[in-house]
Amino acid sequence: MMIKMLNVKPLSQLFPIPTIMGCEGVCATMILRHNHTDITPLKLMRHWPKHDNNPNKGYVGHHFSIKLGHHQTIFPNAIVPYLNNYNANIVDGTGKSLTELTKIIDDGQPVVIYHTVLGQKPVSQTFTFDNAPTKLVSNIHTTVLIGYDEDYYYYIDPLWLSFIRKIYLPAIIPSRRQILRLRKDKMETSYNAPGKMNFYISNH
């Protein structure tokens, strides 16, 4: 079976300083470093846009701690303009299917995707964005999509590593064990349910 896989160096959001809610910054750093931009996740997250409750406008909460009752993330439409300060070719690809994203991988570029943690069943929750109730998938995580074959998608998880395929452990230090795989049909559900959100560096 032919596997298309990019050689992206894994980073862990638990090393060297645990940023337990900083997956977006760590994933963004991975794609920037893959394109020869030398930056640390902490520097990236120190200056990104922030907002009290709306991830469409900035990061909600703090990447070092959990903010209960909030959708603690930053969406592509808020983080991409900021990341353009480091690479003008980063684009918000939200709405693209996974099949379309494989063409980005074919071009040699990894893709930061928002999907449910480890491919879990989507869980919905209502959050308040600027006083407006908003129902969204709450159990999301960002990872870096780096490959595919006939049956699976392969991605780097900044928080988890796999041990004997079925056992998942925290990625205390960066390693190739953070390269996980998920069956294509499961990844479709995992990625589509939160809204097909992603960003990547365009070669075109």
Side-chain angles (χ1 to χ4, degrees), residues 31 89-91 93 96 101 104 110-112 198-202:
I31 70 168
N89 295 322
I90 294 184
V91 298
K96 287 185 180 293
L101 295 185
I104 309 302
V111 184
V112 177
N198 70 82
F199 59 88
Y200 57 89
I201 294 174
S202 174

Side-chain angles (χ1 to χ4, degrees), residues 136-154:
L136 293 168
V137 173
S138 61
N139 58 331
I140 65 167
H141 184 41
T142 61
T143 66
V144 181
L145 189 68
I146 62 167
Y148 64 93
D149 61 25
E150 190 175 318
D151 301 314
Y152 293 92
Y153 286 108
Y154 296 83

Side-chain angles (χ1 to χ4, degrees), residues 183-199:
R183 290 195 66 87
K184 284 188 169 180
D185 57 344
K186 285 195 70 173
M187 182 61 95
E188 293 276 355
T189 301
S190 180
Y191 167 74
N192 291 353
K196 299 182 179 179
M197 292 185 288
N198 70 82
F199 59 88

